[in-house]
Amino acid sequence: MSLINNVTGGKPTPCARCQHFDTVLIVRAEHLCRDCFTKYVGTKVLKRLEANKIRGGFKEAQKTVLLPVSFGASSVTLLHILDQQLQDRAQQGRHCGYNLHVLFIDQSTVLDEVDVRDAMELLSQRYPAHKYTTISLEDCFDYGIEFEGLSNSGEDRLQHIISSMPSATSKVDFIDIARRRLIIAFAKKSGNDSILFGDSTTRIAEKTLSETAKGRGVALPWLTADGFIEGIHCIFPMRDLLRKEITAYASMISPPLTPLISGESPKVSASSKDTTIDGLMSQYFESVEQNYPSIVANVVRTSGRLNPLAMLEGCRSCSICGDGVSTISWGGEQQDSVISSQPANRDGQKPALALCYGCARTALRPQD
Ligand SMILES: [Zn+2]
């Protein structure tokens, strides 16, 4: 997608869809005006929601949908589109079908994040019809989440676990796991029916390759596909949109969403010691999506063919990430012996019972 001025030297061309307004963008080889582009983005999201039937029927009880926000362009744009859909339906006197609950997980104690307290305030002022909650990543223990086999006692427990991780990649990996488990636990405790994750095509492609590289390939359907986790319907409504399309949308609508967005651009550390697999993948797909968006979409389509149902049979839950540990041998790496071969942790507790390949490789890998 490029600005038309870069392509035609500023000569206006009509929009390929409406034939009326001037083109402002070329989206996947199609010349689009502002109106048709914003419609294109909204339709991609609403189609996904329709396919997953998140709205209850007219006679059914109103559903509650959890929307975790990171203040990146994708989750803020998703909130905007959902808010608009609910407003449109209300204006037409139609049944809304669901209530929206916006959740922010504060990770500032473990990651260098900008303070987003004001951002949450701005968000709730712009979209006042919904419920807003902020919780800290450390609250995961209050939601009954345990990371058996990892340091599990004392104050600053989370900090303690993270500082015991052997590499920058495993730290980021663990924080992602804790965040995801906390979102699901919060959704269950608050009585939400579904969770809408804001991951774009680009983000899902990054996740597909980085999770595979971290030994979590077996969990990809749970991490990237629409489906049920612990009874909660997890949906990725932004999965058909590239990050650059979402960013363009966020700056193009009126008023723009840009003041509500605080960063998120992938950054790669200058020091190789602090470089993470996730950081490298973000950087890679950031460059690929500029000129070869079909490669990004292709990675996502391919991982979308994996079937989580086939793997659920005979699965146990990993005591760290909560994903399935296959009991079917595919080389012996995922067997219980993985954990029994781990030394007792520093608190002298007994090792946990089940550990997936990814956690055995990444989270608990002994320091090099
Ligand atoms: Zn695991």
Side-chain angles (χ1 to χ4, degrees):
M1 186 174 58
S2 10
L3 285 172
I4 189 71
N5 289 345
N6 298 341
V7 182
T8 64
K11 206 171 114 203
T13 47
C15 168
R17 291 200 180 178
C18 67
Q19 306 290 335
H20 185 65
F21 296 111
D22 286 347
T23 296
V24 292
L25 288 166
I26 301 172
V27 182
R28 310 193 194 198
E30 203 180 8
H31 289 61
L32 295 183
C33 70
R34 186 182 305 260
D35 280 8
C36 289
F37 173 63
T38 50
K39 247 180 248 165
Y40 159 90
V41 171
T43 309
K44 289 261 185 200
V45 177
L46 298 181
K47 257 192 195 163
R48 274 279 156 192
L49 295 178
E50 287 300 320
N52 282 286
K53 298 188 172 55
I54 70 150
R55 272 192 292 125
F58 191 67
K59 286 179 183 158
E60 290 174 43
Q62 191 102 327
K63 292 192 175 178
T64 309
V65 170
L66 187 69
L67 171 60
V69 290
S70 62
F71 294 98
S74 207
S75 52
V76 171
T77 298
L78 179 56
L79 171 60
H80 175 82
I81 293 170
L82 297 171
D83 180 79
Q84 201 128 58
Q85 186 199 29
L86 291 172
Q87 274 192 42
D88 288 350
R89 291 184 72 85
Q91 272 167 15
Q92 295 158 2
R94 293 161 74 196
H95 177 59
C96 286
Y98 64 94
N99 295 312
L100 207 53
H101 189 166
V102 180
L103 173 71
F104 174 67
I105 297 197
D106 183 357
Q107 306 174 124
S108 56
T109 52
V110 290
L111 281 177
D112 290 337
E113 277 189 341
V114 272
D115 189 349
V116 293
R117 269 170 295 186
D118 293 345
M120 198 63 169
E121 186 62 34
L122 278 177
L123 210 59
S124 59
Q125 280 169 6
R126 176 135 174 203
Y127 306 107
H130 319 295
K131 190 173 169 184
Y132 291 81
T133 304
T134 301
I135 53 174
S136 161
L137 192 64
E138 269 115 343
D139 296 340
C140 60
F141 303 108
D142 300 337
Y143 283 82
I145 297 170
E146 293 293 335
F147 304 102
E148 288 172 65
L150 298 179
S151 183
N152 252 329
S153 59
E155 278 183 36
D156 300 329
R157 210 157 138 197
L158 198 72
Q159 301 261 28
H160 203 68
I161 294 177
I162 291 166
S163 59
S164 72
M165 293 285 153
S167 67
T169 292
S170 39
K171 278 180 191 157
V172 170
D173 187 45
F174 176 78
I175 292 169
D176 272 356
I177 287 168
R179 180 173 188 274
R180 182 164 154 270
R181 290 190 66 185
L182 180 54
I183 291 170
I184 293 168
F186 179 88
K188 278 169 81 175
K189 202 170 176 180
S190 322
N192 295 118
D193 302 284
S194 354
I195 305 172
L196 302 183
F197 290 100
D199 304 37
S200 60
T201 308
T202 319
R203 176 75 191 115
I204 293 175
E206 284 165 18
K207 253 161 85 172
T208 300
L209 294 205
S210 62
E211 296 300 332
T212 307
K214 289 186 288 186
R216 299 192 182 285
V218 76
L220 277 177
W222 290 302
L223 299 172
T224 61
D226 298 348
F228 284 85
I229 297 175
E230 298 181 40
I232 307 265
H233 198 179
C234 296
I235 305 160
F236 295 84
M238 308 293 274
R239 65 180 300 123
D240 295 327
L241 291 160
L242 294 166
R243 181 178 286 136
K244 60 178 180 175
E245 291 169 344
I246 297 167
T247 311
Y249 176 94
S251 62
M252 208 175 271
I253 58 160
S254 177
L257 300 175
T258 338
L260 303 170
I261 295 166
S262 46
E264 198 209 28
S265 69
K267 37 186 179 302
V268 168
S269 170
S271 142
S272 62
K273 190 171 145 279
D274 295 330
T275 303
T276 63
I277 291 174
D278 302 79
L280 285 173
M281 283 304 148
S282 299
Q283 192 193 37
Y284 171 69
F285 279 108
E286 164 126 314
S287 61
V288 168
E289 80 158 9
Q290 292 308 318
N291 298 315
Y292 308 103
S294 61
I295 293 181
V296 185
N298 206 3
V299 170
V300 174
R301 254 199 314 277
T302 307
S303 75
R305 293 196 193 104
L306 298 168
N307 181 5
L309 291 176
M311 297 192 312
L312 282 175
E313 290 168 37
C315 262
R316 300 164 64 197
S317 291
C318 169
S319 51
I320 294 175
C321 68
D323 290 328
V325 181
S326 175
T327 50
I328 304 155
S329 174
W330 48 278
E333 297 91 336
Q334 257 207 325
Q335 300 304 294
D336 288 353
S337 55
V338 168
I339 188 65
S340 57
S341 67
Q342 296 291 324
N345 65 29
R346 64 175 70 171
D347 297 319
Q349 290 172 332
K350 265 179 66 179
L353 293 170
L355 201 65
C356 74
Y357 182 62
C359 286
R361 282 297 156 120
T362 310
L364 288 188
R365 191 166 54 85
Q367 193 123 24
D368 293 329

